[in-house]
Amino acid sequence: MDSDTFKTLVTPSEEILFKEKKSKFYGYAFPLLTASDAKPIIESLKKKHHTANHVCYAWRIGIEQYTYRTNDDGEPNNSAGMPIYGQIQSFEVTNVLVAVARIFGGTKLGVGGLIGAYRTAAHMALGNANIIEKVVTTKFELTFDYPQMDLVMRLIKQQQLNLVSQKLNLNCSITIDVRKNRAKSIYALFDALFGIDIQEIEFI
């Protein structure tokens, strides 16, 4: 995977079910933009599985620097959340929440059994998800007077840049989307031209 790409989910995965010694483990994977989005998802799963003894989860957010959290929801320490997070790492996905709801079947699994069951359910949930690779981009705004229009448009075409928006008046403004690993060279290209101002406006 290139340094300016990342893997994530498009839509929530379909529910999967893993059974171990009569315990049922329902696994889910969700796209996640912010940490605060996790709570309502977990609450909805607890309502859906109101007989579940535990709804354990892990999430990871970020592209170059990750933020993550794991939650065992009453299971023995590190027997649920961390095995789930391990699968997030294994699938190399980010901006994702993986949750597993457990309905106890009457037989204790032991810590080792729990680790294996939560890991398997998380693996199945992510394996059932639509994972895509996205490109990290930088947005630049170009401002210039109308006479520079032909030059700017020619360079955008030559460099095969993505045109996001344009305002073409006497004072023109164009927003372009540039793949991160080309951002410095594209900035330098336009910055060197007389009468054209380039500013970074957004980083995704």
Side-chain angles (χ1 to χ4, degrees):
M1 196 163 56
D2 295 329
S3 61
D4 63 347
T5 61
F6 64 98
K7 293 179 184 176
T8 191
L9 306 190
V10 181
T11 55
S13 67
E14 292 184 9
E15 175 186 284
I16 63 92
L17 171 60
F18 173 69
K19 296 179 181 179
E20 182 72 13
K21 294 182 180 177
K22 296 184 180 178
S23 276
K24 295 178 180 179
F25 295 83
Y26 294 90
Y28 305 85
F30 301 88
L32 195 70
L33 292 178
T34 67
S36 60
D37 291 337
K39 187 177 180 181
I41 294 173
I42 298 301
E43 288 177 349
S44 70
L45 288 178
K46 287 184 176 181
K47 287 179 182 178
K48 180 176 183 177
H49 297 285
H50 60 274
T51 60
N53 305 80
H54 312 275
V55 178
C56 306
Y57 63 89
W59 55 254
R60 176 158 80 171
I61 293 173
I63 298 167
E64 293 179 310
Q65 293 184 326
Y66 298 125
T67 301
Y68 76 94
R69 185 179 176 188
T70 66
N71 190 306
D72 296 313
D73 194 31
E75 294 281 32
N77 197 29
N78 293 328
S79 67
M82 283 308 294
I84 295 170
Y85 184 65
Q87 290 307 301
I88 292 175
Q89 293 175 303
S90 179
F91 277 80
E92 297 181 329
V93 288
T94 189
N95 296 351
V96 63
L97 164 70
V98 178
V100 178
R102 179 196 181 192
I103 298 176
F104 184 55
T107 303
K108 291 188 176 182
L109 302 182
V111 172
L114 288 172
I115 290 171
Y118 280 105
R119 181 173 58 224
T120 300
H123 182 88
M124 290 170 65
L126 285 168
N128 199 34
N130 184 11
I131 297 174
I132 62 163
E133 188 170 282
K134 287 189 172 183
V135 175
V136 185
T137 63
T138 301
K139 284 188 173 64
F140 291 116
E141 184 178 37
L142 304 169
T143 52
F144 50 91
D145 291 334
Y146 194 79
Q148 270 87 15
M149 171 63 67
D150 286 345
L151 172 61
V152 170
M153 296 305 288
R154 188 163 66 246
L155 286 172
I156 288 173
K157 187 175 181 180
Q158 285 175 355
Q159 297 295 324
Q160 296 181 325
L161 302 176
N162 182 29
L163 189 61
V164 178
S165 65
Q166 54 185 349
K167 296 175 185 175
L168 306 180
N169 301 308
L170 289 175
N171 296 314
C172 302
S173 172
I174 287 180
T175 302
I176 55 174
D177 205 18
V178 181
R179 188 166 176 153
K180 186 193 165 193
N181 63 8
R182 298 185 64 205
K184 286 186 179 179
S185 63
I186 295 300
Y187 180 90
L189 175 67
F190 285 101
D191 191 49
L193 298 173
F194 178 76
I196 299 174
D197 182 60
I198 179 169
Q199 297 288 335
E200 181 177 337
I201 59 171
E202 189 179 350
F203 182 76
I204 300 176

